[in-house]
Amino acid sequence: MKLIKYIACSLLLLPAFAQAQQEVPVYLDNSKPIEERVEDALSRLTLEEKVALTHAQSKFCSPGVARLGIPEFWMTDGPHGIRPEVLWDEWEQAGWTNDSCVAFPALTCLAATWNPQIALLYGKNIGEEARYRNKTVLLGPGVNIYRSPLNGRNFEYMGEDPYLAGKMVVPYIQGVQQNGVAACVKHYALNNQEVNRHTTNVIVDDRALYEIYLPAFKAAVQEGKTWAIMGSYNLYKDQHGCHNQYLLNDILKGEWGFDGVVVSDWGGVHNTQEAITNGLDMEFGSWTNGLSNGASNAYDNYYLANPYLQLIREGKVGTKELDDKVRRILRLAYRTNMDRNRPYGALCSEAHFAAARQIGEEGIVLLQNNNNVLPIDLSRAKKIAVIGENAIKMMTVGGGSSSLKVKYELSPLDGIRKRVGDQAEVVYARGYVGDPSGEYNGVKSGQDLEDNRSPEELLAEAVAVAREADYVIFIGGLNKSAHQDCEDADRKELGLSYGQDQVIEALAQANKNLIMVNISGNAISMPWVKEVPAIVQAWYLGSEAGSAIASVLVGDVNPSGKLPFTFPVSLQDVGAHKLGEYPGTPRNDGSHIVDQKYNEGIFVGYRWADKQKAKPLFSFGHGLSYTTFEYGKVTADKKTIAPGEPITFTLTVKNTGNREGAEVVQLYISDKKSSLPRPVKELKGFQKVYLQPGEEKQVSFTIGTDALSFFDDGKHEWVAEPGQFETLIGASATDIRSKVAFELK
Ligand code: BGC
């Protein structure tokens, strides 16, 4: 009886269910393709709602459409961890207690791993943190090319080579976006210095633009399928990067077919008409009028707010561009906040700390290891002296927008102490005082690093400590304060500040087992290079800095990082400085614009060093190991190829030492003769090979004709010219182990 009643009731209710089902509007219907939902949502929006979608409503958030259940869009820096919350309308801290994160190593370190799998791990982990914190868009990664070692933001980017940066950015994006969080690749494009960053007008030839400055962005769009891109502050062809006809409409959305959103850099918009027509989709601002001052009804004054609405209402502009912007923004919503299959993410998980450590360990570069000073032999060392401010300074606070509030950060000194335990005594001396402050945007490191002793006193103490130790580890470098690897200011010199060179030289006199650990995101000059046996490039490593550094120093981890940029001997060995327009030439027309001509063209980084035959201090791609590798002879599967035909190169690599290790095998292409000037060689392949002691592996690279081509600016297309080429296999750009010639018919 009960069963009959149940069936009867169900039958009666069926039409109501069916009706309820039919009523799910297309824009909310998960089973419908995204583009159909976008069109349906678009058709339901008022003009005011559409315009509102195109600009911020707070420092890091833009509105959704509340009445339709389309969620708000929340942005976060990026790119090394999830930035703490600031107030709705201010840069001050919001004072949340649940917004501490894991700091991952800086992107320079990631690039130094030369391992796309590690980039995927990075993206996945930081994406999970962003997702847990309910973010829609992660403002990163950055792939501006390392043009000058003075650029204050090089630490946030992936080095000097477009191929390497392209290969590393793609998996980072994929990892982030797996979480239903958009990556926002920045700063597109030609943002290669911080000095005059809002007023620099870059003048660069098309070859350098297409061959050097754009390929990593193109890979991010076409291979990484990034859902967002951030326009840059600087100008190109007299238009700001955030509303630039050439970069955004012609290249990004035209040539590359980008279907995501272009987000402005904060305060990077300057003109409503250009913002409407030149490819910008979402405007965000640094101050409440989007530019430089506080204002009432703040966000209504944005260039894409009331001024836009007014132009439409007055009939001065149509809604074609607006609909295109809104379509992209809705697409972003469906890819992120409105994706019902979006995972939940995680914050400060053990796995995230472990990933941060692993990335750091793989990215640390052993630059020099004379007399095999490293790894530290703990069975013999009784006393280890650690000297230098960077051994104790928290590096996750500072540097500008990438500054973080971390759950914890292990300093190098604490990491070394933890690892050494009671196997040896670890003593510390400051050596010099650099930047004792530790605050950014109200986040305080909580450290009191004030020290009023004179440089002479600090030096005397350091030398005395060094004399008595078995090993001396100097940990110095830059520190993310203004002019020391920091947003909005370039460095003032290639050399180290605060008298560090003198301290290092004195330590080298005091103890032959000196190890210099350089913390920076940039090359530095090393006048003491011949006196210091061991030099380690340790980047900004984030939460697990101490553990990663300690494991490399004592040899738990065999270093396998390679430099993603050249260390020049001096600025005169850098094209941007040698050919002399840095930081640019102010115009005398009252416009505040500073022209910056990239006179070196395509000859950036090792391409310049090769051309000038200038021996770098440390080359692009350089990095030593605690074991040794033997390269076999490279062979090609063909002597001649036709256009479009691939060619494969093979060689063996053997670990000839007695511990396991990894070697990054690099493939460079050299065009023997061409109608336009070409670099001596260009990176077109790399592989990180893990080898047990005595193990040998075969390594193969298959390249296509695209790896042989250059951008012909006359024809505006990529051209591979028939003729002779050579493939060079190297352990760095200057350590070429084997070559093979071939011909393109
Ligand atoms: C920086 C961006 C950053 C944004 C938001 C700007 O000043 O250039 O990289 O994402 O601020 O903090």
Side-chain angles (χ1 to χ4, degrees):
M1 188 61 193
K2 260 192 187 158
L3 185 69
I4 295 172
K5 253 192 191 162
Y6 174 78
I7 294 173
C9 273
S10 308
L11 286 175
L12 277 174
L13 285 174
L14 215 56
F17 276 141
Q19 204 184 355
Q21 286 244 301
Q22 273 168 14
E23 275 171 7
V24 174
V26 171
Y27 83 96
L28 287 178
D29 185 345
N30 230 26
S31 67
K32 293 279 190 296
I34 284 188
E35 293 309 310
E36 225 176 280
R37 300 170 77 190
V38 165
E39 290 308 317
D40 184 56
L42 185 72
S43 72
R44 294 167 190 267
L45 300 180
T46 66
L47 176 66
E48 290 72 18
E49 284 167 342
K50 287 182 186 176
V51 171
L53 282 169
T54 66
H55 63 270
Q57 61 176 359
S58 82
K59 283 274 147 283
F60 281 99
C61 161
S62 64
V65 188
R67 91 184 153 85
L68 294 178
I70 297 174
E72 293 170 341
F73 297 82
W74 280 90
M75 317 279 151
T76 179
D77 285 300
H80 308 141
I82 310 307
R83 187 174 177 163
E85 304 296 331
V86 295
L87 293 175
W88 186 257
D89 230 4
E90 308 284 338
W91 288 107
E92 291 314 309
Q93 289 300 297
W96 292 18
T97 52
N98 57 354
D99 58 349
S100 300
C101 68
V102 175
F104 297 91
L107 293 192
T108 20
C109 172
L110 174 62
T113 68
W114 290 61
N115 185 343
Q117 286 306 316
I118 291 284
L120 183 65
L121 178 82
Y122 195 128
K124 176 180 176 286
N125 281 271
I126 194 172
E128 284 173 359
E129 298 243 325
R131 170 64 189 97
Y132 191 84
R133 292 264 307 274
N134 269 321
K135 303 303 179 189
T136 321
V137 178
L138 176 71
L139 302 173
V143 285
N144 292 99
I145 289 293
Y146 190 115
R147 175 174 181 256
S148 157
L150 300 189
N151 179 10
R153 288 187 93 174
N154 278 338
F155 72 98
E156 288 186 69
Y157 303 141
M158 299 204 199
E160 73 185 26
D161 185 75
Y163 180 84
L164 175 64
K167 285 291 166 213
M168 297 301 286
V169 75
V170 167
Y172 181 115
I173 295 166
Q174 292 166 338
V176 170
Q177 295 189 166
Q178 279 170 20
N179 293 288
V181 172
C184 182
V185 182
K186 65 194 191 182
H187 306 89
Y188 181 75
L190 299 165
N191 188 175
N192 306 104
Q193 64 189 55
E194 287 299 291
V195 58
N196 303 325
R197 64 177 175 162
H198 294 276
T199 49
T200 294
N201 178 53
V202 173
I203 302 168
V204 61
D205 59 62
D206 275 3
R207 282 199 67 197
L209 181 68
Y210 277 82
E211 291 185 26
I212 305 292
Y213 296 102
L214 294 186
F217 287 104
K218 184 179 179 190
V221 170
Q222 295 193 330
E223 295 166 51
K225 310 253 179 264
T226 187
W227 294 332
I229 279 235
M230 185 187 287
S232 61
Y233 281 141
N234 53 280
L235 300 92
Y236 168 65
K237 293 197 178 176
D238 284 2
Q239 289 177 2
H240 282 93
C242 293
H243 31 84
N244 192 294
Q245 170 65 27
Y246 315 96
L247 294 173
L248 298 176
N249 282 344
D250 296 349
I251 299 176
L252 177 69
K253 293 181 174 177
E255 291 176 22
W256 302 346
F258 176 62
D259 70 357
V261 293
V262 174
V263 177
S264 78
D265 199 345
W266 268 231
V269 183
H270 301 268
N271 177 314
T272 296
Q273 188 60 49
E274 283 187 9
I276 295 170
T277 53
N278 292 0
L280 179 69
D281 301 309
M282 289 176 117
E283 180 187 4
F284 282 80
S286 275
W287 299 93
T288 41
N289 71 347
L291 238 197
S292 53
N293 302 304
S296 54
N297 301 329
Y299 300 96
D300 292 345
N301 297 324
Y302 272 36
Y303 292 93
L304 285 184
N306 285 351
Y308 191 8
L309 208 48
Q310 201 176 331
L311 287 177
I312 296 176
R313 285 191 181 133
E314 287 169 1
K316 292 189 176 141
V317 301
T319 53
K320 184 169 78 77
E321 295 90 357
L322 180 63
D323 283 348
D324 179 60
K325 295 180 203 302
V326 173
R327 278 193 181 94
R328 290 168 183 274
I329 296 166
L330 290 168
R331 200 173 289 136
L332 175 68
Y334 287 118
R335 286 168 165 170
T336 56
N337 300 341
M338 294 181 82
D339 172 5
R340 289 185 204 271
N341 296 322
R342 203 182 184 205
Y344 303 117
L347 188 65
C348 295
S349 67
E350 280 171 27
H352 293 180
F353 283 107
R357 179 173 178 165
Q358 192 186 346
I359 298 158
E361 288 173 347
E362 272 217 29
I364 291 174
V365 183
L366 179 61
L367 292 175
Q368 176 160 292
N369 195 18
N370 297 341
N371 314 325
N372 291 330
V373 165
L374 285 172
I376 290 172
D377 184 352
L378 282 181
S379 68
R380 279 199 252 156
K382 290 201 184 65
K383 195 182 236 181
I384 298 172
V386 177
I387 293 164
E389 185 173 285
N390 286 354
I392 55 171
K393 188 174 167 65
M394 257 181 93
M395 289 289 179
T396 52
V397 176
S401 56
S402 62
S403 179
L404 296 170
K405 174 171 144 192
V406 287
K407 178 116 181 243
Y408 84 76
E409 174 177 349
L410 190 68
S411 71
L413 177 62
D414 288 344
I416 292 166
R417 286 214 161 112
K418 196 169 153 193
R419 173 60 185 87
V420 170
D422 52 18
Q423 282 182 275
E425 187 192 351
V426 178
V427 287
Y428 175 73
R430 180 75 169 261
Y432 68 93
V433 174
D435 170 43
S437 70
E439 182 171 348
Y440 183 80
N441 261 171
V443 177
K444 297 189 176 81
S445 70
Q447 293 183 304
D448 180 8
L449 297 182
E450 288 298 336
D451 192 327
N452 294 324
R453 287 177 291 170
S454 69
E456 293 73 26
E457 286 172 288
L458 292 162
L459 182 63
E461 181 197 44
V463 169
V465 165
R467 279 206 185 105
E468 308 228 309
D470 302 298
Y471 287 94
V472 179
I473 309 169
F474 176 84
I475 306 185
L478 311 178
N479 59 26
K480 288 188 172 177
S481 63
H483 307 292
Q484 299 282 333
D485 278 356
C486 186
E487 185 174 339
D488 209 13
D490 279 354
R491 295 167 67 202
K492 290 179 169 163
E493 58 195 351
L494 187 61
L496 292 176
S497 306
Y498 320 123
Q500 290 182 74
D501 287 342
Q502 288 88 308
V503 179
I504 296 168
E505 270 155 19
L507 295 177
Q509 295 293 314
N511 194 311
K512 65 177 184 3
N513 287 335
L514 175 62
I515 301 148
M516 153 61 170
V517 178
N518 183 49
I519 309 287
S520 76
N522 256 318
I524 58 163
S525 60
M526 299 184 183
W528 31 260
V529 67
K530 293 208 173 84
E531 295 146 55
V532 178
I535 305 174
V536 175
Q537 177 61 31
W539 318 112
Y540 301 109
L541 296 176
S543 286
E544 291 285 358
S547 16
I549 289 172
S551 25
V552 167
L553 293 181
V554 304
D556 296 341
V557 165
N558 190 353
S560 64
K562 298 262 187 176
L563 289 179
F565 52 79
T566 307
F567 271 56
V569 173
S570 80
L571 285 182
Q572 284 306 298
D573 293 334
V574 179
H577 295 280
K578 176 78 180 176
L579 299 186
E581 290 217 358
Y582 173 90
T585 314
R587 285 187 194 167
N588 284 326
D589 58 1
S591 67
H592 304 295
I593 293 177
V594 180
D595 284 316
Q596 163 77 243
K597 200 161 168 219
Y598 287 10
N599 287 323
E600 74 285 5
I602 55 174
F603 297 101
V604 174
Y606 65 88
R607 290 163 169 83
W608 176 263
D610 278 351
K611 180 168 154 23
Q612 299 301 103
K613 300 195 172 69
K615 193 175 171 314
L617 178 62
F618 294 108
S619 304
F620 172 78
H622 169 75
L624 303 174
S625 166
Y626 297 150
T627 187
T628 44
F629 301 100
E630 198 179 274
Y631 284 57
K633 189 158 172 33
V634 60
T635 56
D637 67 342
K638 302 178 189 88
K639 284 208 165 81
T640 311
I641 53 167
E645 195 184 346
I647 177 166
T648 299
F649 304 97
T650 307
L651 72 149
T652 55
V653 183
K654 185 172 181 183
N655 181 347
T656 47
N658 50 18
R659 50 173 305 164
E660 65 182 289
E663 171 69 336
V664 179
V665 181
Q666 300 155 43
L667 179 148
Y668 297 87
I669 292 290
S670 176
D671 186 353
K672 291 291 146 203
K673 199 170 158 221
S674 82
S675 57
L676 293 179
R678 296 204 66 181
V680 172
K681 62 175 180 298
E682 293 183 281
L683 184 76
K684 294 295 171 187
F686 62 87
Q687 273 181 50
K688 195 161 191 173
V689 194
Y690 294 81
L691 293 164
Q692 294 298 319
E695 192 186 3
E696 181 176 274
K697 276 189 187 158
Q698 209 174 56
V699 184
S700 292
F701 299 90
T702 299
I703 61 163
T705 321
D706 55 331
L708 313 180
S709 55
F710 59 86
F711 189 79
D712 186 330
D713 40 1
K715 295 185 184 147
H716 197 82
E717 63 184 29
W718 289 90
V719 174
E721 277 179 353
Q724 293 297 323
F725 290 84
E726 203 168 37
T727 290
L728 317 177
I729 299 290
S732 84
T734 54
D735 184 4
I736 300 302
R737 302 289 178 89
S738 180
K739 300 179 186 181
V740 62
F742 65 98
E743 190 187 348
L744 174 67
K745 280 279 180 222

